[in-house]
Amino acid sequence: MISPLAYVDPEAKIGKNVTIQPFAYIEKGVEIGDDCIIMSYASILKGTKIGKGNKIHQNAVLGAEPQDFHYTGEESSLIIGEKNDIRENVVISRATFAGNATKIGNGNYLMDKVHLCHDVQIGNNCVVGIGTTIAGECVLDDCVILSGNVTLHQYCHIGSWTLVQSGCRISKDVPPYVIMSGNPVAYHGVNAVVLSQHHNTSERILRHIANAYRLIYQGNFSVQDAVQKIVDQVPMSEEIENIVNFVKSSERGIVK
């Protein structure tokens, strides 16, 4: 159902069984997949493509022009997957340059007043807490939890199954499976409860993850030496391989 009080540009592509409530605003060139709900006063702007089964709440702005001095009006994109819940007052910007896209995967939950800047890449099943700001070109892997009022510096990479607690300011990469807390932010252990309950991680693997991070964060080694010791001393598994590859490939360096 599309309310006659909503504005939907004739050039917008609207899927089947889409609900668009009064006073929503849909620009030309927008694509909205089947079974989406667009609530009152939400704005979906040109360059935005939305998959199936998304719920967009009041006053959300999707596809906003990037707040980047390099932006000169290019026709860039915002691409959103399926079954995301985007709450009130969320702002998501398009990419800065033509041919690039801000991308949101599937099954994510973005809470009130979240701001995702240009070229942000978010995987699947992430939770982004109230008032969190993610600067341009940050990457969140799958199943990340950012609590309320977290701030990510531009270019940061957050590994999968990581929990960043409320109010943290992150300026470097955060490796997978950890809890980060405090200001200045610091390693606060393995995200064991979430891993065991939702990732079915065994106690044995959890011990191996904890041993790997003990070498990185509590051993008196450089990060490079700690990674080599992980390879030499910790039994290899998919999780340990993810840690090693993440740390080796980190361009900003990890939070330490």
Side-chain angles (χ1 to χ4, degrees), residues 143 145 161-163 177-179 189-196 206:
C143 304
I145 301 173
W161 295 97
T162 285
L163 167 62
Y177 316 124
V178 301
I179 298 172
V190 174
N191 195 14
V193 173
V194 171
L195 284 169
S196 61
L206 287 173

Side-chain angles (χ1 to χ4, degrees), residues 136-255:
E137 302 185 67
C138 288
V139 176
L140 271 62
D141 292 338
D142 293 347
C143 304
V144 168
I145 301 173
L146 303 181
S147 300
N149 296 304
V150 171
T151 301
L152 299 190
H153 189 279
Q154 192 172 12
Y155 303 114
C156 285
H157 182 187
I158 311 298
S160 57
W161 295 97
T162 285
L163 167 62
V164 179
Q165 295 187 338
S166 296
C168 288
R169 299 190 298 270
I170 305 292
S171 59
K172 292 188 175 182
D173 295 343
V174 177
Y177 316 124
V178 301
I179 298 172
M180 290 285 170
S181 66
N183 275 309
V185 66
Y187 171 73
H188 199 66
V190 174
N191 195 14
V193 173
V194 171
L195 284 169
S196 61
Q197 292 183 356
H198 299 283
H199 190 248
N200 297 319
T201 306
S202 68
E203 291 186 11
R204 178 177 62 86
I205 296 298
L206 287 173
R207 286 196 300 271
H208 294 168
I209 294 171
N211 288 337
Y213 283 119
R214 191 172 295 114
L215 290 167
I216 292 174
Y217 286 106
Q218 297 170 316
N220 190 23
F221 314 115
S222 68
V223 172
Q224 293 79 7
D225 288 346
V227 168
Q228 187 58 53
K229 288 183 178 295
I230 292 170
V231 173
D232 294 340
Q233 299 177 17
V234 180
M236 194 55 59
S237 63
E238 179 183 347
E239 291 80 4
I240 300 303
E241 186 175 356
N242 286 343
I243 294 169
V244 170
N245 291 338
F246 186 100
V247 175
K248 282 184 174 180
S249 64
S250 173
E251 295 182 1
R252 296 185 63 81
I254 64 170
V255 172

Side-chain angles (χ1 to χ4, degrees), residues 13-19 30-38 44 47-56 62 78-86 102-108:
K13 297 180 180 179
I14 310 299
K16 299 176 182 178
N17 194 36
V18 172
T19 299
V30 167
E31 297 181 18
I32 299 176
D34 300 345
D35 303 311
C36 288
I37 299 173
I38 314 299
I44 304 180
T48 302
K49 298 180 180 180
I50 302 175
K52 298 178 181 179
N54 293 284
K55 191 173 185 179
I56 315 299
L62 307 186
L78 165 63
I79 299 173
I80 296 175
E82 300 183 357
K83 297 182 179 178
N84 297 285
D85 197 346
I86 299 175
T102 300
K103 293 183 179 179
I104 313 297
N106 304 322
N108 298 290

